[in-house]
Amino acid sequence: MLELLKKSAVEQAKAIKNKEVSAVELTKASIERIKSIDEKLGAFNSLTEDTALETAKKVDEKVAKGEELPLLAGVPLALKDNMNLIGSKTTASSKILENFVSPYNATATQKLLDNLIPIVGKANLDEFAMGSSNENSAFKKVHNPWNLNKVPGGSSGGSAASVASCESALALGSDTGGSIRLPASFCGIVGMKPTYGKVSRYGLIAFASSLDQIGPFARTVEDAAALLEVISGYDYHDSTSLNLPVENYRNTLNNDIKGLKVGVVKELIGEGLSEDVSKAIQNAIDTYKAQGAEIVEISLPNIKHSIGIYYILATAECSSNLARFDGVRYGHRTSDAKNLLEMYCKTRAEGFGPEVKRRIMLGTYALSSGYYDAYYKKALQMRRVVHEDFLKAFEQVNVLIAPTCPNTAFDLGSKTEDPLSMYLTDIATIGANLSGIPAISVPAGFDKDGMPIGLQIMAPQLKEAELFNFAYKFEQAHDYYKQLANI
Ligand code: GLN
């Protein structure tokens, strides 16, 4: 069964259709694998075995009746633990939601169920998706399947580790400043953030609502494209949801890219890049050249401000979004309060971890009277300037490439005392969130210690099909994606 778990999602789905394996057998194998290795990885906060098997049974009934199956039916998936699945705990890896049970399904979750995709468990994350290493989970750290002493990246570290270790073939994550792409890059898999508005966030625990997007993790570009088809589409429940038809991205994966233009982001390939990552980017440039694309150097002069902008906007938005966790309506409530105000204060002091508290304080400060214009308003203006840099760039090129991260996965514990150096990890990914554009990380080789490197590709808003096309062309030119973590 391990051989089958190592196959791509599309191949697993085919095996079910051809009756080489039943969906129940495959789902059980995924759950068994989680039970046998996850103690070492920490990728899951909880398993949702009953729901998964119920879905798998439905698949097998359809197979027995000879009915047509949805594309990814029966393929095990890990759901980031900040998305609701009825009856399961949705904790956001926070003590404040430790015992919170989802009362309804997130729209993305509902689409998975409608497509008969068994959800095997809730994947660990940085508390409320705030972090780049998954060390901010209130429950346990996630370890990188390629080297257990290294971080998997964050905040969707559990989702990425699950797919990289073949516990599941697929996962969903959320990406506010890089939380899908960074862990995908550190774990050697594919992770994609769609255009803002492509996937409904209804039922996703909000972090920074003007940036949050749900997106797919997989081991191949084709699988990621197929999973995005499943979860995208208009939703009345999310006012930012785009009312556009769901596209078929798989039809155009192998399109010729001859004559198309690839921009290399100058500011993201210079100083501070590790030698191995730098070589990997050169290799990507050579690959696209050999396929007939034209390489153009592109400047995004304001991208250097993106971290500063992000840490004003994201903290401001989270200070407002997290105000609802007050001990009255959700989750934890202190057992030791003499009056209402003390109940609020103690509940929040006990329930939130240090990084979440830091962000709430920063955000409240940035929004406070007298500072609003200097910080929040300025950051909004600068966000527009960064967006315009991207618009100008896309007048010249079809896609942009850059590393997903200037370095590969770092040692557990090596950055926890230094939040600023942790924040810098996201220098290459935040721009896409500020601009609302789609971006993907694909496996692009390994460093001298055997740790995976990610190539990031970005495209204009709504150009997902072109993005997947470029990602697929690079993937198929190499065999990086075929190499799996040995765990
Ligand atoms: N690492 C970034 C942060 O800590 C991004 C997180 C995310 O995308 N959810 O805010």
Side-chain angles (χ1 to χ4, degrees), residues 80 82 126 128-133 136 154-156 174-182 207 212 310-311 314 355 359 422-423 425-426 429-430 433:
K80 189 176 181 179
N82 59 355
D126 282 301
F128 284 104
M130 298 175 193
S132 304
S133 66
N136 294 338
S155 66
S156 318
S174 60
D175 190 311
T176 307
S179 277
I180 293 175
R181 290 158 288 155
L182 182 71
F207 164 12
D212 298 340
Y310 174 85
Y311 276 94
E355 183 60 29
R359 307 255 180 139
M422 189 73 91
Y423 295 172
T425 312
D426 301 328
T429 48
I430 284 175
N433 301 80

Side-chain angles (χ1 to χ4, degrees), residues 120-282:
V120 289
K122 304 298 287 289
N124 201 350
L125 63 148
D126 282 301
E127 185 176 358
F128 284 104
M130 298 175 193
S132 304
S133 66
N134 218 125
E135 292 165 293
N136 294 338
S137 166
F139 307 132
K140 57 189 172 187
K141 294 181 174 57
V142 181
H143 299 256
N144 191 310
W146 292 86
N147 176 342
L148 297 174
N149 297 319
K150 304 233 179 226
V151 303
S155 66
S156 318
S159 302
S162 168
V163 172
S165 64
C166 305
E167 290 178 329
S168 63
L170 299 167
L172 288 192
S174 60
D175 190 311
T176 307
S179 277
I180 293 175
R181 290 158 288 155
L182 182 71
S185 136
F186 280 10
C187 290
I189 59 169
V190 178
M192 193 265 183
K193 181 199 90 75
T195 301
Y196 185 76
K198 264 270 161 190
V199 180
S200 164
R201 290 96 41 86
Y202 179 67
L204 164 74
I205 295 176
F207 164 12
S209 308
S210 78
L211 301 158
D212 298 340
Q213 258 301 282
I214 294 172
F217 283 101
R219 289 187 297 270
T220 69
V221 172
E222 184 186 20
D223 287 356
L227 184 53
L228 181 59
E229 288 173 26
V230 167
I231 59 171
S232 60
Y234 174 66
D235 179 20
Y236 162 84
H237 290 110
D238 178 348
S239 63
T240 65
S241 168
L242 296 167
N243 198 350
L244 295 168
V246 174
E247 293 165 86
N248 179 325
Y249 305 118
R250 287 160 296 129
N251 283 346
T252 48
L253 284 180
N254 206 14
N255 276 10
D256 205 344
I257 59 165
K258 205 175 273 162
L260 299 185
K261 291 185 180 155
V262 174
V264 183
V265 183
K266 193 173 96 181
E267 288 80 4
L268 296 176
I269 56 163
E271 220 182 308
L273 212 60
S274 91
E275 208 183 303
D276 294 321
V277 174
S278 182
K279 276 189 202 145
I281 297 301
Q282 192 50 52

Side-chain angles (χ1 to χ4, degrees), residues 351-372:
F352 290 137
E355 183 60 29
V356 175
K357 286 179 184 156
R358 176 162 33 238
R359 307 255 180 139
I360 292 173
M361 285 190 281
L362 273 171
T364 309
Y365 180 78
L367 288 176
S368 58
S369 104
Y371 296 102
Y372 180 93

